[in-house]
Amino acid sequence: MSRPLLDSLLTKLKAASDLDSDDLRAIASLPIRTRHLDPHEFIVKEGDRTHECCLIADGFAFRSKATWQGQTQILSLHVPGEIPDLHSLHLELMDHDLKALSRCTLGFIPHAAIKSLNANRPRVAAALWRETLVDASIFREWMFNIGSRVGVTRMAHLLAELNRRLEVIGMAKNGVFDLPITQVELGECLGLTGVHVNRVLKQLRAEGLVRTSRSVFELLDIDLMEERGEFDPDYLHLPAFALS
Amino acid sequence: MKDAPMTRYYFDLRNEEVAIDDEGVELANAEAAQTEAARSLTDLARDAVRTAKDLKNLNVAVEVRDDAGPVMRAELALQIKPARS
């Protein structure tokens, strides 16, 4: 059962990095433990010490922190094929929460197995290092987005980004993707209140850029949405096939 | 403990344009609505300051309604008073 779980990771690494068939076989034979989580269940909590990394095989996850007064900030959103706590390989103490956003299928891989894979296969180590660097790059862009852009641009940027990230893994087609996220959670991603999220989504709808129904987002003109969000995909460091 | 009944509040935003809220949000009481209104207002003001054509006449407001009618109005007006002529 472990092969389909690791498929999302293999597809992602193969597209982005230079790996040979032995590397891919070694990744495919990593020990992996499956868990199914409901929305908002903790994957790992701030303060936990972990000995496994978690691969998202299906569903969405997010990292967050809360102020002492209880105000939550979502720090990042994660899609299938990503290992949102890859950093825990070297930083075992969790300094933030990692939770399921939707129903998730996760694969837990022991740190020891990844460490030994990295030691024996430098190309795999480089590929995983690259993943954490892209993760950091997305953090920089989110910091920039929240700190410097107005609400409507912020939202357009986030939707443009998610469309690109989901498109690479085949989960967005022609600007249509499914993302089970509430307005409050969108607000927590963007540093906006639920009411303000409502307003900026309405504005983007009125401009003819997006249609939403339940959890489906439909970008009606991808180029215009990207322009509205001042979105430049460079920071995602997407594989060449995804840049058209 | 039983869940307290929630009320649906609508937040209409007014600055240079008006954005009528036809979806609303469910909140516990008027105090929660007041907090949401104040926070939304500062969000709105932050954006308005960055995009306003005329900073001197900047005025943003949030009007809160429930299904029975208006509940409250929260307003921020920016005053710039030159200290020299």
Side-chain angles (χ1 to χ4, degrees):
Chain A
M1 265 319 282
S2 69
R3 241 195 60 77
L5 269 188
L6 280 158
D7 269 358
S8 57
L9 177 65
L10 283 166
T11 311
K12 191 161 197 291
L13 294 183
K14 210 158 55 181
S17 292
D18 181 26
L19 298 173
D20 68 22
S21 53
D22 287 345
D23 293 329
L24 296 172
R25 251 195 305 280
I27 298 169
S29 59
L30 278 169
I32 192 161
R33 181 172 66 88
T34 311
R35 266 182 74 197
H36 299 281
L37 266 72
D38 284 328
H40 300 111
E41 267 194 85
F42 278 102
I43 302 170
V44 254
K45 264 192 192 129
E46 185 169 357
D48 284 355
R49 283 188 184 275
T50 64
H51 305 285
E52 295 173 303
C53 285
C54 138
L55 165 68
I56 305 176
D58 190 32
F60 297 90
F62 66 95
R63 292 193 268 180
S64 66
K65 289 190 97 140
T67 65
W68 291 12
Q69 289 75 37
Q71 174 81 37
T72 300
Q73 173 79 47
I74 293 182
L75 305 167
S76 59
L77 292 176
H78 295 281
V79 305
E82 294 181 355
I83 306 178
D85 60 350
L86 192 53
H87 54 82
S88 70
L89 199 56
H90 299 294
L91 307 173
E92 283 180 6
L93 178 67
M94 279 297 284
D95 52 34
H96 56 271
D97 293 326
L98 173 60
K99 292 167 98 170
L101 179 71
S102 62
R103 273 189 62 79
C104 274
T105 303
L106 307 172
F108 287 85
I109 312 168
H111 284 167
I114 302 178
K115 281 184 176 165
S116 110
L117 180 65
N118 284 348
N120 294 320
R121 306 217 150 257
R123 274 186 302 258
V124 176
L128 292 178
W129 188 5
R130 185 184 190 281
E131 291 301 305
T132 65
L133 293 175
V134 172
D135 189 48
S137 175
I138 295 175
F139 268 99
R140 287 192 289 276
E141 190 66 29
W142 276 43
M143 189 190 291
F144 180 42
N145 199 35
I146 294 170
S148 302
R149 294 188 179 117
V150 298
V152 67
T153 318
R154 256 185 246 181
M155 177 66 79
H157 192 278
L158 178 64
L159 294 178
E161 175 187 304
L162 288 167
N163 178 54
R164 290 280 193 138
R165 285 169 70 190
L166 291 170
E167 196 175 39
V168 189
I169 54 170
M171 289 179 63
K173 287 206 170 63
N174 302 319
V176 182
F177 56 89
D178 190 65
L179 178 70
I181 191 166
T182 64
Q183 289 206 344
V184 169
E185 287 162 344
L186 276 173
E188 289 169 351
C189 289
L190 296 171
L192 302 173
T193 60
V195 166
H196 202 47
V197 164
N198 194 351
R199 186 187 81 92
V200 297
L201 276 178
K202 182 171 283 189
Q203 188 172 336
L204 291 173
R205 271 188 222 117
E207 291 175 21
L209 294 177
V210 70
R211 243 194 326 242
T212 56
S213 70
R214 292 179 167 269
S215 60
V216 177
F217 291 81
E218 187 181 348
L219 310 193
L220 300 170
D221 186 325
I222 298 173
D223 289 345
L224 278 181
M225 182 64 97
E226 293 189 346
E227 201 180 305
R228 192 70 173 90
E230 302 174 10
F231 175 86
D232 178 336
D234 281 1
Y235 73 97
L236 292 175
H237 303 278
L238 295 170
F241 77 83
L243 297 170
S244 53
Chain B
M1 208 175 87
K2 265 179 72 179
D3 284 345
M6 303 283 274
T7 307
R8 184 161 289 273
Y9 291 97
Y10 303 86
F11 298 80
D12 301 332
L13 310 183
R14 293 174 186 276
N15 52 346
E16 281 157 346
E17 304 116 54
V18 182
I20 300 295
D21 176 8
D22 41 31
E23 291 167 42
V25 240
E26 295 219 308
L27 296 167
N29 50 38
E31 198 186 334
Q34 181 179 298
T35 304
E36 183 68 22
R39 286 192 187 156
S40 310
L41 190 57
T42 49
D43 274 2
L44 189 67
R46 182 180 188 270
D47 283 1
V49 165
R50 285 168 191 233
T51 53
K53 293 175 198 92
D54 180 10
L55 268 185
K56 287 203 185 71
N57 291 309
L58 195 83
N59 188 305
V60 291
V62 173
E63 289 169 359
V64 186
R65 289 176 287 122
D66 62 13
D67 290 319
V71 177
M72 70 188 77
R73 176 184 165 93
E75 188 177 323
L76 276 178
L78 179 66
Q79 294 191 346
I80 297 178
K81 296 177 177 168
R84 57 179 70 160
S85 49

